[in-house]
Amino acid sequence: MSFNDDLDPDQLVELEQIFRAEGLEHVKRLAEILFEIEEKGADEELLIEAFRQAHNLKGSAALLGFERVARLTHRIEDVIGVIKRGDQTLTPATMDLLLGGLDVIREGVNLSKPGDDTLTIEEQATLTTLEQWLAACDTSPTPRPPTEPRSQVDKVVVQAPETSPPRTMPEPSRSAPEGQDAFIRVAVDALNSLTAQVDDLFEAQVQAETMGQELSRLRHGLDQLLTGVQTLRSESTSSVADDTEDLANLMNVRLEAATEHFHRDMQGLSRRIRKAQEEVGRMGLATLDSLHVKLRRQVREVSRTTNKPVELRFQGGEYAVDRRVLDALTEPLVHLIRNAVDHGIESEDQRQAAGKPPTGLVEVRARHLGDSVELSIRDDGRGIDLVAVRQTLVEAGRPPKEVDELTDDQLTDRLFDSGFSTQRQVSEVSGRGVGLDVVKHTMDRVGGEVRLETSAGQGTTISLRLPLSMSTVRCLLVSLGNRPLAIPAANVQKVLILQPADLLDLGHGEVVEFGGGHVPVTPLQDLIGMASPTWAPQSTRTAVVLQFGDRRWALTVDDVLEYTQIIVKPLGDLLERVPAVSGIALLGDGDLALVLNPGDLVRAAGSRAQAVGAGSTTPDTSSGLAERVILVVDDSIATRSLERSLLESAGYKVLTATDGFDALDVLGRSRCDLVITDAQMPHMNGFELTRTLKSHATLAHLPVIMITSLGSPEDIEQGMASGADAYVVKKNLTQHELVSTINQLL
């Protein structure tokens, strides 16, 4: 029995949060120790430390009533105890057993509740396996290591971070008062809430500063009024003029004092908010070496599965970024690591034939770059087959001549398209077409960048540029069509004032000489579809030179406003994949500015230039599906408009209908490749429409996606029974998921 019954609910919640944070640290440290033992052998001190970590986790879990965690950790502790006594050795099979057990315990720490002693199916299976291992040890008079077939997988090598010392639990400061720790645990949700509130304060400060500017303008206007009154007084003997001048003078003095007082207070408030942002930002930082255990586990697992010896090197783990960035990046990074080993690294025979060392190399390296950290994942494998990429694009419907003219950079850009893959079969290890689009989507969401470089026979490098913070971002504000737009300053190389004589036409569009080379010039309005005045041939233009990797592009805008700090807010689930837009920001004057994605802009500019060079004036949609026609059926104007915007931004042609009867009428007059329909509509609903289409002689082949707010199992069953090819609940819908589903069906 635990002491939970003696605690009030608030105390219990606080202790649960503390246990979860501490429990995950125990699991992480225990995994690190096991990897060290596997590499170095059964070191007595390491085994004692591993036993202590398991024992402490078991004790904490039992004390707080986390019975499922306590039972599993007890068996992990017993296994380590057997190895510590020398009765067994840590074989690869036993290592797999322990690491698998830690994965299950980690889930239990996150998800189980105090007092819950009912094991899940996975937990029961893990517990049974551990107990069988222990029973086998007990029944043997002289325990011996289980025999295993030796294979190449035993050659897996994993290097610890070169620059990061072994991790230990934080100790209280020696200078801290007696009985008072220098460290406390804070729940992540509480920290995120605090960060959001400080960000709100910053936005309020920016708006208040705008009000201060308005006060200064009012004071200037009052000065002009006072000058007019004094002129009037000199020309009149009326006492009214004297009284008006006195009143104006009094108002001027009071407004001047109020303005000075306001600015003085704002300066102090700004300093305090800035300091609070810095302190809260530091609290939310996490070092990259927290990824190390998870990544080395992935390399170990995939190398054993594929029978490829692979070495993982991890450098720069001491660098820290916003924990929210790290949390969002973890799963996409796992995709990259698994893809690198599965698809990138060759088999041992192939490597020897190519004159390479038999052990493949995957290197994860971090370095500091200004206000960001670059994390690169490099493998020394076969590289990406760009010929296969071209062939896949042709098979997807792109004109062969157009594909042949694509540069290597433009080809590798296509690898980030949703669902794109040159793999013909789904791999159980890393999937097919999964990874790069997920990584790009994640980097867009956190305000980062992703680039890919590959060399045939030499390997592939994927570079992720991670922002240090997801809160404030320094941006260059520009205007286009009287609307403000924000471009991250980290990608802005220079602002140019272009005269007509500065522009050269080399046959594939205009360029300008800059930085010792020619930089292409493209109107920003052509890339984001925003109207702007047409430039006269002899007019001066303003251009912003963007840098993305080794690519540079000059984008012309109406005007450059200022550099400023902004807080980037997400667009929301349905709009999160709008091309070239990564978020939105509230400016000091209350206006909203779209925050542009520099990588998307440079890619889109390159695609457009290639299309123009091929004689086309239509911008490249990057997917090869620009001629696909989709019919959206929904009785809600707002929903139709939103879905139409999402699909058109992804490169599809969109037709609309208000109900099932209207849809059949449209289909009778127009060609269509896929239908997206709501379920609940007047006259003919989505279920009836789908059944009608699937029984029609010439329309039965059309894929149908049903998007609706009806999410009960009965509704989903009804939708699929009517013949729908996919059923998506609106609350779970994102543009990424919608486009991925469409690509799968087409």
Side-chain angles (χ1 to χ4, degrees):
M1 178 178 178
S2 71
F3 61 83
N4 291 349
D5 294 338
D6 299 326
L7 300 174
D8 63 46
D10 290 340
Q11 290 175 314
L12 188 57
V13 168
E14 182 179 358
L15 285 174
E16 284 183 32
Q17 293 172 342
I18 292 174
F19 168 75
R20 294 187 200 283
E22 185 180 50
L24 292 175
E25 288 181 7
H26 281 308
V27 172
K28 174 177 177 290
R29 179 58 185 146
L30 187 49
E32 290 176 337
I33 296 169
L34 290 175
F35 279 122
E36 285 191 69
I37 294 173
E38 186 181 44
E39 294 166 11
K40 300 177 181 178
D43 181 270
E44 183 178 1
E45 291 185 3
L46 289 174
L47 286 169
I48 291 173
E49 173 66 10
F51 188 85
R52 186 180 69 82
Q53 292 287 339
H55 182 79
N56 289 345
L57 176 57
K58 180 194 70 174
S60 299
L63 183 65
L64 290 172
F66 285 82
E67 299 295 339
R68 292 156 51 186
V69 174
R71 290 177 64 185
L72 284 164
T73 310
H74 190 179
R75 291 298 172 240
I76 292 285
E77 179 188 24
D78 289 343
V79 172
I80 295 173
V82 170
I83 298 171
K84 183 166 71 75
R85 292 194 304 268
D87 296 339
Q88 291 285 345
T89 58
L90 185 61
T91 64
T94 305
M95 182 71 168
D96 289 343
L97 177 64
L98 290 172
L99 290 175
L102 289 179
D103 283 343
V104 176
I105 290 172
R106 184 185 295 109
E107 288 299 306
V109 170
N110 280 320
L111 301 177
S112 65
K113 293 288 185 181
D116 179 9
D117 60 357
T118 303
L119 299 178
T120 66
I121 295 175
E122 186 178 19
E123 288 170 343
Q124 183 60 62
T126 301
L127 185 65
T128 300
T129 305
L130 290 167
E131 290 174 341
Q132 289 173 346
W133 189 94
L134 291 165
C137 295
D138 292 339
T139 56
S140 175
T142 307
R144 301 172 62 182
T147 59
E148 299 182 15
R150 301 291 292 176
S151 68
Q152 300 296 339
V153 299
D154 291 337
K155 299 175 67 175
V156 175
V157 183
V158 184
Q159 277 195 354
E162 296 180 3
T163 55
S164 298
R167 286 300 197 196
T168 59
M169 292 291 292
E171 297 181 355
S173 169
R174 297 183 184 275
S175 60
E178 185 176 354
Q180 182 179 5
D181 288 344
F183 296 91
I184 63 171
R185 299 188 187 279
V186 179
V188 173
D189 288 345
L191 183 58
N192 290 342
S193 175
L194 179 61
T195 302
Q197 292 179 54
V198 173
D199 288 347
D200 289 343
L201 281 176
F202 176 78
E203 287 186 335
Q205 168 208 324
V206 172
Q207 291 184 298
E209 288 174 346
T210 302
M211 293 175 59
Q213 296 171 0
E214 184 62 27
L215 276 176
S216 298
R217 285 191 290 269
L218 286 173
R219 182 184 167 196
H220 178 68
L222 189 58
D223 284 339
Q224 292 179 321
L225 176 62
L226 183 59
T227 301
V229 169
Q230 290 172 343
T231 302
L232 178 64
R233 180 178 177 278
S234 65
E235 297 174 355
S236 172
T237 59
S238 171
S239 61
V240 175
D242 294 335
D243 294 341
T244 302
E245 182 181 8
D246 292 341
L247 179 60
N249 279 323
L250 178 61
M251 291 176 61
N252 190 40
V253 170
R254 289 181 175 177
L255 184 57
E256 180 179 2
T259 302
E260 292 177 356
H261 184 73
F262 177 86
H263 285 302
R264 185 169 59 250
D265 288 350
M266 278 304 304
Q267 288 176 354
L269 179 62
S270 298
R271 284 195 299 270
R272 290 179 175 85
I273 292 177
R274 187 163 54 250
K275 185 174 181 180
Q277 280 184 307
E278 293 171 355
E279 293 294 335
V280 172
R282 278 194 288 269
M283 289 169 59
L285 293 178
T287 55
L288 292 171
D289 64 1
S290 61
L291 296 169
H292 187 228
V293 170
K294 192 174 188 73
L295 297 186
R296 69 195 296 181
R297 170 76 194 278
Q298 296 298 323
V299 170
R300 183 181 187 277
E301 177 185 317
V302 180
S303 61
R304 287 174 64 84
T305 302
T306 59
N307 201 29
K308 300 175 184 178
V310 181
E311 175 186 351
L312 172 68
R313 294 179 187 171
F314 195 104
Q315 300 179 24
E318 72 276 12
Y319 291 113
V321 297
D322 194 312
R323 182 178 296 277
R324 292 169 293 178
V325 174
L326 210 56
D327 289 345
L329 182 67
T330 301
E331 290 308 316
L333 196 56
V334 166
H335 282 304
L336 293 182
I337 292 294
R338 297 180 72 89
N339 279 333
V341 178
D342 188 23
H343 298 311
I345 301 296
E346 311 96 330
S347 68
E348 192 170 3
D349 291 342
Q350 290 172 331
R351 292 181 65 83
Q352 289 178 335
K356 295 182 178 181
T359 299
L361 173 65
V362 175
E363 185 176 38
V364 180
R365 176 178 296 182
R367 61 174 181 152
H368 192 265
L369 290 176
D371 59 352
S372 62
V373 169
E374 183 182 76
L375 186 67
S376 61
I377 302 93
R378 183 182 73 85
D379 69 70
D380 69 343
R382 59 174 59 88
I384 294 173
D385 186 353
L386 295 182
V387 174
V389 175
R390 292 184 192 275
Q391 181 61 34
T392 303
L393 288 173
V394 171
E395 292 173 358
R398 296 283 291 270
K401 183 176 184 299
E402 179 183 327
V403 172
D404 288 342
E405 294 178 352
L406 291 175
T407 65
D408 287 352
D409 283 340
Q410 290 169 337
L411 282 174
T412 56
D413 286 346
R414 300 288 77 76
L415 297 173
F416 293 98
D417 292 345
S418 178
F420 184 92
S421 178
T422 59
Q423 300 296 319
R424 301 302 181 187
Q425 296 180 342
V426 177
S427 165
E428 293 181 1
V429 173
S430 58
R432 180 179 68 83
V434 177
L436 291 184
D437 65 318
V438 175
V439 174
K440 183 179 183 305
H441 169 50
T442 302
M443 296 306 294
D444 288 347
R445 185 157 50 89
V446 302
E449 297 176 4
V450 57
R451 294 182 288 107
L452 184 149
E453 300 174 60
T454 189
S455 177
Q458 301 300 313
T460 300
T461 300
I462 296 177
S463 301
L464 311 176
R465 186 165 180 168
L466 312 175
L468 297 179
S469 171
M470 283 182 65
S471 295
T472 59
V473 178
R474 181 170 171 77
C475 287
L476 175 66
L477 286 183
V478 301
S479 68
L480 191 68
N482 297 320
R483 297 294 301 172
L485 301 169
I487 303 174
N491 297 93
V492 176
Q493 267 207 315
K494 188 128 180 125
V495 175
L496 303 177
I497 305 299
L498 301 179
Q499 303 295 335
D502 297 329
L503 297 171
L504 305 173
D505 192 341
L506 301 182
H508 292 282
E510 295 178 321
V511 300
V512 61
E513 290 187 357
F514 175 76
H518 290 137
V519 177
V521 180
T522 298
L524 177 58
Q525 67 189 67
D526 291 351
L527 305 181
I528 62 176
M530 184 177 289
S532 182
T534 302
W535 293 95
Q538 300 302 317
S539 61
T540 299
R541 284 188 273 179
T542 302
V544 178
V545 180
L546 295 186
Q547 173 95 34
F548 179 71
D550 0 356
R551 287 181 274 179
R552 292 183 299 184
W553 218 280
L555 304 180
T556 59
V557 298
D558 293 349
D559 197 9
V560 171
L561 304 179
E562 61 175 337
Y563 279 101
T564 186
Q565 293 285 130
I566 62 173
I567 294 177
V568 181
K569 302 287 188 181
L571 292 172
D573 289 343
L574 282 175
L575 297 176
E576 63 182 351
R577 296 299 299 272
V578 174
V581 177
S582 58
I584 197 165
L586 179 65
L587 304 181
D589 58 3
D591 206 351
L592 293 174
L594 291 176
V595 182
L596 302 181
N597 184 313
D600 281 355
L601 292 176
V602 172
R603 291 188 185 103
S607 296
R608 180 181 182 277
Q610 190 269 338
V612 170
S616 170
T617 58
T618 303
D620 179 23
T621 62
S622 304
S623 66
L625 300 174
E627 298 303 317
R628 298 289 196 180
V629 182
I630 295 178
L631 174 61
V632 173
V633 189
D634 200 299
D635 59 321
S636 166
I637 297 176
T639 301
R640 286 200 310 272
S641 300
L642 178 59
E643 291 179 3
R644 178 171 189 159
S645 176
L646 295 177
L647 294 169
E648 287 181 341
S649 68
Y652 298 101
K653 181 179 179 181
V654 181
L655 306 175
T656 61
T658 57
D659 58 37
F661 286 120
D662 190 21
L664 293 174
D665 181 58
V666 172
L667 290 170
R669 294 182 282 104
S670 306
R671 181 185 69 83
C672 181
D673 298 296
L674 182 142
V675 175
I676 296 176
T677 180
D678 189 17
Q680 297 287 6
M681 296 181 294
H683 310 306
M684 178 186 281
N685 62 37
F687 302 116
E688 296 167 336
L689 171 63
T690 303
R691 284 194 292 268
T692 302
L693 292 177
K694 293 303 180 180
S695 62
H696 195 281
T698 59
L699 299 177
H701 69 284
L702 283 180
V704 177
I705 301 176
M706 194 167 288
I707 300 179
T708 175
S709 57
L710 302 177
S712 70
E714 294 78 10
D715 293 322
I716 296 175
E717 183 178 354
Q718 183 182 2
M720 301 308 290
S722 67
D725 298 275
Y727 191 100
V728 183
V729 181
K730 285 183 179 178
K731 68 177 182 179
N732 300 326
L733 179 67
T734 66
Q735 189 191 38
H736 170 66
E737 295 299 330
L738 179 59
V739 173
S740 295
T741 302
I742 293 172
N743 287 343
Q744 291 173 14
L745 295 177
L746 292 181

